[in-house]
Amino acid sequence: MSEGCSYAAVCPQPGLVVDFDGRRYLFQYDRSEGRVYDITDVKKVKVVEKMSRGDVDGDESKANGSWAANDYWGASTIQWNKEIGAYVMVQSFEDKRQISELTDEPGHDKYGEPDGVRKLREKPGLKGFKVFRLDGPRKKDWKLLSTVSTDSTQKVPLKSDSNTAQQGSGSLDVPYWTGGRYMFIATAPNDTYSGTEYPTNLHSAGYQSWDMSDPEHPKLLDTWHLPGQLTGEDAAYRANPRCGNRTSWMGARMPLFIPKPVEQGGRYAFAAMGGYGLTVLDISDPAHMKAVGHLDLPPSVSGIEGDNIDVSQYEKTGLIYYSGYPLTEDCYEPYKGVYQIDAKDPAHPRVVGTLPRPAPPKSAGFQDFCQRRGSFGPKRTGYYTNPGKHDAGVLGYGFYNAGVQFFDVKNPADPEIEAYFVPKVYGPETPDYAYGNQTHGVYVEWDRNIAWVLTNHGIYALSSQQVLGKPRLTAPDKPFRTSKF
């Protein structure tokens, strides 16, 4: 694949695309750090908005020119809402993952540092999500419609106090919402959702469904979790072979993965729950979500065992692609493979294969990506929010130190890597802590056949006529409105 351009990035977080007045914009964010780029001309990218807390050392408790105290840019989905006639953005507000109160060192983790646990629980801030109307690409164009707490102890979720401590995890990562009536999020609604071994994570998230008919007044429909996730469900928790290892992430990291929206007749959703494995849910009635199938995956200590499920091929092949990702560097954990799972019968999903493990070319000077330093393994195939319709048979994964890897799965019995792009390890402005977190994500504009690759030192625009199709480097024919596979 060929490099179109590269430029400095804040942090390698996923992007979002919106179209205003014939121009295309890419949103990139990581809590208090955010950028909005005009990417209409792929080779002449411009920064049109910049948000930061750099002047207050990143302290989220302090207000500055970009942010109010305890505010930031949470993991988001942006979809066109026909009723309002505008883009609507839903932002997740969740526990901070990089924390100083606890570490993963024995004696200083949640098992040995009760004072650190107390401090975390006492931190103020919203646990839930915010809903905005977008009338333009810049922050001044955002209009707050609602602020919703997922803390089940709040008497009025839409009128919670974000200057006080709230329970639970908040809404995790990108909410699943395509602009219609129903939204699905991953969340631990209170502190009893505690069934996880990971040493710095206090919560084990399940799922909620919400009615978004009125974005100014979202309504909770249902909450679902697996046995073992709640305090007191001891027998179910002890039955998991990971119980007691003080390593495994157990619970959701991402919302449900849904091949077809409920509003369009979709029935099934797939849940990646770390050490709890894969669960298939019937969400045809979002007010009564129910499990219809389950699959335990082999234990793979450390890292995230189940984080992402690519469902872009499901309607055509009945296959989903299930993966975790590494949390350590230099391969100090088992490789996290990408499982091919046959879910044609949702009640009995089964593993039928794995995608090939990327290997460096002979010219690289090393034989395995474990020798390149940094993390090695799959992250995600972008998000369902990518504009355009996902190409059948093509999966593009961010693979940390193996760059971006594109897999050809047109013949599921014989998947192969058909293209890759491995950038440099880091740049002059890359902080030391990000050296191992190299290629973090890939975001494909399927309507323009451009792949944006987010790394720890910048963002690359890639094209490949053979893999993605002929690239379009100027404005798309039609503006992006609503996500679709």
Side-chain angles (χ1 to χ4, degrees):
M1 305 188 81
S2 60
E3 178 183 344
C5 63
S6 67
Y7 44 92
V10 185
C11 286
Q13 295 297 319
L16 292 164
V17 157
V18 290
D19 289 305
F20 288 104
D21 301 322
R23 303 201 67 81
R24 172 151 289 188
Y25 299 91
L26 177 72
F27 288 4
Q28 182 212 7
Y29 54 86
D30 182 28
R31 293 180 75 96
S32 295
E33 301 296 324
R35 300 288 187 276
V36 179
Y37 305 97
D38 184 332
I39 60 169
T40 311
D41 184 336
V42 175
K43 292 192 175 183
K44 296 181 180 179
V45 173
K46 299 177 182 179
V47 178
V48 299
E49 180 74 295
K50 180 179 179 181
M51 291 162 272
S52 178
R53 269 200 174 92
D55 59 332
V56 292
D57 297 322
D59 188 343
E60 289 182 0
S61 68
K62 297 179 180 179
N64 70 348
S66 295
W67 304 105
N70 300 317
D71 195 16
Y72 56 87
W73 193 339
S76 303
T77 181
I78 300 175
Q79 305 289 331
W80 186 261
N81 185 277
K82 293 181 180 179
E83 300 300 322
I84 295 177
Y87 286 113
V88 173
M89 174 166 62
V90 183
Q91 286 187 5
S92 285
F93 281 71
E94 61 177 284
D95 282 335
K96 193 172 184 179
R97 299 172 200 169
Q98 289 75 38
I99 57 176
S100 59
E101 292 80 5
L102 300 173
T103 73
D104 55 7
E105 296 294 324
H108 300 283
D109 57 17
K110 68 181 181 182
Y111 300 102
E113 190 61 69
D115 191 51
V117 173
R118 176 186 60 79
K119 289 179 180 179
L120 278 179
R121 297 205 190 282
E122 291 178 351
K123 275 192 170 183
L126 173 66
K127 302 287 185 67
F129 59 91
K130 291 184 179 181
V131 184
F132 296 86
R133 171 180 172 143
L134 270 59
D135 292 315
R138 298 167 180 83
K139 190 168 184 278
K140 67 180 179 62
D141 302 317
W142 303 358
K143 178 185 178 183
L144 181 63
L145 300 179
S146 55
T147 299
V148 184
S149 175
T150 52
D151 175 1
S152 61
T153 70
Q154 297 287 322
K155 292 183 179 179
V156 184
L158 273 68
K159 295 182 179 180
S160 67
D161 184 358
S162 60
N163 292 314
T164 61
Q166 297 188 9
Q167 286 198 34
S169 65
S171 174
L172 302 181
D173 224 291
V174 176
Y176 177 87
W177 182 60
T178 57
R181 179 175 179 182
Y182 300 113
M183 180 174 75
F184 300 87
I185 64 173
T187 185
N190 58 61
D191 292 343
T192 68
Y193 283 69
S194 60
T196 180
E197 291 290 317
Y198 201 74
T200 60
N201 182 32
L202 304 183
H203 300 106
S204 180
Y207 301 95
Q208 286 185 340
S209 53
W210 287 78
D211 187 330
M212 293 288 289
S213 299
D214 179 1
E216 294 188 52
H217 299 91
K219 296 179 181 178
L220 176 63
L221 296 175
D222 194 18
T223 301
W224 181 91
H225 77 280
L226 278 172
Q229 290 193 263
L230 271 59
T231 301
E233 297 177 342
D234 299 341
Y237 190 73
R238 285 196 299 267
N240 193 303
R242 299 160 187 81
C243 177
N245 71 15
R246 300 194 176 190
T247 299
S248 295
W249 186 289
M250 301 171 70
R253 270 281 295 107
M254 295 282 293
L256 295 171
F257 297 87
I258 302 173
K260 180 186 292 186
V262 174
E263 297 90 335
Q264 298 175 19
R267 180 176 180 183
Y268 297 111
F270 299 93
M273 303 191 70
Y276 287 110
L278 164 72
T279 295
V280 186
L281 297 178
D282 184 334
I283 58 168
S284 55
D285 178 0
H288 298 91
M289 296 184 290
K290 58 183 180 181
V292 295
H294 183 83
L295 177 65
D296 287 317
L297 280 300
S300 179
V301 295
S302 189
I304 307 295
E305 294 175 79
D307 168 76
N308 185 73
I309 304 176
D310 188 288
V311 296
S312 63
Q313 314 300 306
Y314 181 70
E315 292 292 303
K316 183 176 181 180
T317 67
L319 294 181
I320 61 175
Y321 294 81
Y322 180 101
S323 58
Y325 66 86
L327 284 175
T328 63
E329 299 177 14
D330 303 335
C331 294
Y332 280 104
E333 64 179 272
Y335 173 72
K336 301 296 185 286
V338 181
Y339 292 100
Q340 297 172 285
I341 296 176
D342 186 332
K344 296 186 194 72
D345 179 358
H348 301 95
R350 59 192 181 92
V351 175
V352 294
T354 57
L355 294 185
R357 173 174 170 151
K362 293 181 180 180
S363 60
F366 53 92
Q367 295 179 326
D368 191 279
F369 279 108
C370 286
Q371 297 169 299
R372 195 177 189 233
R373 309 303 303 268
S375 295
F376 170 52
K379 180 62 173 177
R380 295 174 189 147
T381 50
Y383 288 82
Y384 73 94
T385 56
N386 301 42
K389 189 172 179 60
H390 195 298
D391 284 357
V394 177
L395 302 179
Y397 282 86
F399 239 88
Y400 290 100
N401 71 3
V404 58
Q405 301 279 331
F406 277 84
F407 294 85
D408 181 345
V409 295
K410 297 180 185 67
N411 179 5
D414 188 24
E416 61 181 2
I417 297 171
E418 63 176 340
Y420 62 86
F421 174 77
V422 182
K424 60 186 180 182
V425 175
Y426 55 84
E429 298 181 359
T430 305
D432 292 351
Y433 64 80
Y435 282 3
N437 190 17
Q438 295 170 25
T439 297
H440 188 84
V442 57
Y443 187 84
V444 179
E445 292 183 74
W446 297 103
D447 58 350
R448 294 203 298 176
N449 298 324
I450 299 293
W452 298 91
V453 177
L454 295 94
T455 78
N456 62 5
H457 60 272
I459 304 174
Y460 295 82
L462 308 181
S463 68
S464 171
Q465 187 160 333
Q466 179 180 352
V467 178
L468 299 177
K470 184 178 180 180
R472 176 162 188 158
L473 305 180
T474 56
D477 291 329
K478 297 180 180 179
F480 165 72
R481 288 294 183 247
T482 303
S483 298
K484 57 185 177 181
F485 280 126

